[in-house]
Each structure stands twice: as structure tokens, then as C-alpha cells.
Amino acid sequence: MKVALVCPTVGQTRRGYERFMTDLFGLIRTDVDATLFKGGGEPAPGEFVVPHMKRTGMVGRMGGNRLRYTRHRLEFASFAVALWPHLARGKFDVVHAIDPPLAPKLAAMRRLTRLKYGFLFTDGGPAPFDATPYADVVHYVTPEQEREALARGASAAKGSVLPVGVDTSGMPGSPERAALRRQYGVGPDTFVILAVTSLNRHHKRVDYLIDEAAKLPGDVLLWIDAGVHPDGDASLLDAARERLGARFRHTHVDSDRVGELYRLAD
């Protein structure tokens, strides 16, 4: 079986979508002929970087938030167009995507070119999106998510529920908590509140987290691990520094070090 995993933002930023697709690629490639089509970074074995109009490229930098919706549309449209020849030549049995803007484009490409791949879509985003008109199977990550989708009119015949797991093999044993705290310069009695998140005010509500942490007395540290580029709201970091001062820390550590942050946090 040949499987194409498709995610334009892999290689450009590190969030849930990207971690899900790269971890999945690493797990299934031992059993099937899998290819990861990504939007940036260096290609590794089994990976292919699709040239397209990136959100982290010149248009994204020049447009900023003023053209956020437009540049996202351009990004996914240009990625889909550049991806099409690879899907046509690759003769894939399954194409798997997680980005909602890609779903109608991949479905339209399949219809127009009469490619025979099955289309699997993982519904893992924060906003309601009905992928059943486009995909053969829609993967819901919780039963509640599926119930809500059906209530909005999604096709019940196309839904499948499978919770997202964690590949612990990629998390090597880390030092003990006390040693980690010394390594990161955190006191042994400090109460650490950790948020590994996206920097925004809507579905992640980081502003609310900052407000609540600022109300807490005593030796408390709010630690936010999140990237600013390309879509993070840097003003949230300024607000946290203003409200919390030395009781706030911001990092964006490599993925293989995130486990250390969880280990040292309360």
C-alpha cells in the first residue's frame, strides 16, 4: 500500500498538526510505503518538500496579519497545484490530510484528474469543519467531536473515531525532576504552570491564562512554550512580562525536549 501524508506547514512551524503528521509518518513507514509531502525544511528519506507560496515566505512577511486570510488561501492553493503531479505519478492508494483548506482542493483534483486514491481527512482543528463532502473517511479524535459533526449535518457513514495517541518511543528518559529544575534554573519549591500552546486569544485563550496566573500569590512561575512565527501573537508575551515580571518564562524548545518541560512542571 502506498500512502501520501500531506501537510504544507511541516518544516515551517511546530504545532499540533505538524507533530501529528510527522509522528504518524515515522510510525507507519515501517509497515507501508509512505511519503510525507511537506512545505519546508530539509527533505529526509521518504519526505518531499513541495515548492509553493509559503506563509513564512516573502508574501507572508510583507503582508503580516493584514493579509492573513489571503496569504493562507494562496498558500494552500499553490501547495495543492504543486502537489498534483506528485500524486498523479505516485499512484497512491491513500492520501491523508489534516488542514481544512486542503480538503476541497484535494477532492477537486481527484475528481478532475480521475485519480483513484482514497482520501482520509483527520478533523483535528479548533473550528467546526465538515469534511464529509470531500473525504472518503473523516477521522474524529473524540466521540463528542463526531456527535457535534453529525448534529451539524455531516455524513454518519463517513465518520470514524480514533483518539490520538502519544508515541513515547520518541521521548527518551529524562533526568529526575530536581536535576531538570537545576538545569533550567527553576527553584525546587517554585510552582510551575506550563502551557505548551499556540499564542492566540481565541481557541487557546492564552490571555485568560496570563490573567489567572497573575492573580496567584507566592512563588509561582507561568512557563509558556510556544512559537511566535509565523502566526503567534507576540503581544501576549509582552502582556505576560508586564503582568508577571520574573514569574514568567517563554521558550520554544525543540520537540525532543518538550518532555523535559512536562517533567519539571507542576
Side-chain angles (χ1 to χ4, degrees):
M1 176 178 287
K2 296 191 68 175
V3 178
L5 302 175
V6 178
C7 189
T9 50
V10 169
Q12 298 192 68
T13 186
R14 290 185 283 120
R15 302 169 303 178
Y17 279 12
E18 297 79 24
R19 187 61 185 263
F20 172 76
M21 294 302 273
T22 53
D23 278 6
L24 183 61
F25 170 67
L27 288 168
I28 70 170
R29 61 181 308 204
T30 58
D31 301 309
V32 299
D33 183 359
T35 302
L36 174 64
F37 292 98
K38 60 184 186 177
E42 295 297 323
E47 299 179 357
F48 188 89
V49 179
V50 179
H52 70 293
M53 192 172 294
K54 301 179 177 66
R55 69 177 63 188
T56 54
M58 183 177 64
V59 173
R61 292 195 299 270
M62 293 177 61
N65 284 330
R66 291 172 300 151
L67 298 177
R68 183 173 180 179
Y69 180 66
T70 301
R71 62 187 171 90
H72 280 199
R73 292 179 63 188
L74 289 171
E75 176 180 37
F76 288 108
S78 62
F79 185 91
V81 170
L83 176 68
W84 173 78
H86 302 287
L87 295 186
R89 289 195 299 265
K91 298 180 179 179
F92 291 97
D93 300 292
V94 176
V95 175
H96 185 183
I98 193 171
D99 296 273
L102 271 184
K105 296 173 178 59
L106 290 174
M109 286 164 50
R110 180 173 63 168
R111 183 175 64 253
L112 292 173
T113 59
R114 298 184 181 180
L115 295 177
K116 302 297 184 182
Y117 60 77
F119 182 22
L120 168 63
F121 181 83
T122 291
D123 190 348
F129 174 71
D130 182 9
T132 56
Y134 314 110
D136 300 303
V137 176
V138 177
H139 164 215
Y140 300 108
V141 298
T142 67
E144 180 182 14
Q145 184 189 38
E146 182 185 41
R147 288 193 294 269
E148 292 176 352
L150 295 180
R152 294 192 303 268
S155 169
K158 291 187 175 182
S160 179
V161 179
L162 184 66
V164 174
V166 177
D167 178 19
T168 57
S169 65
M171 299 180 182
S174 58
E176 291 300 319
R177 175 185 169 91
L180 280 171
R181 287 193 165 219
R182 288 193 298 271
Q183 175 185 331
Y184 283 95
V186 178
D189 299 321
T190 300
F191 190 87
V192 178
I193 302 167
L194 173 68
V196 180
T197 185
S198 296
L199 280 174
N200 65 58
R201 300 171 186 268
H202 35 96
H203 65 288
K204 297 300 182 182
R205 304 183 69 196
V206 175
D207 53 332
Y208 178 79
L209 175 63
I210 294 168
D211 289 343
E212 290 297 298
K215 298 174 185 177
L216 297 175
D219 187 8
V220 173
L221 177 66
L222 174 62
W223 189 322
I224 295 179
D225 188 81
V228 176
H229 189 68
D231 297 315
D233 184 349
S235 69
L236 289 167
L237 300 179
D238 295 333
R241 294 185 184 106
E242 181 181 346
R243 298 287 304 279
L244 290 154
R247 300 197 305 156
F248 170 69
R249 185 177 298 189
H250 168 244
T251 57
H252 190 209
V253 303
D254 292 336
S255 294
D256 59 2
R257 291 177 56 205
V258 172
E260 295 180 351
L261 303 189
Y262 282 117
R263 188 77 174 271
L264 66 80
D266 296 286

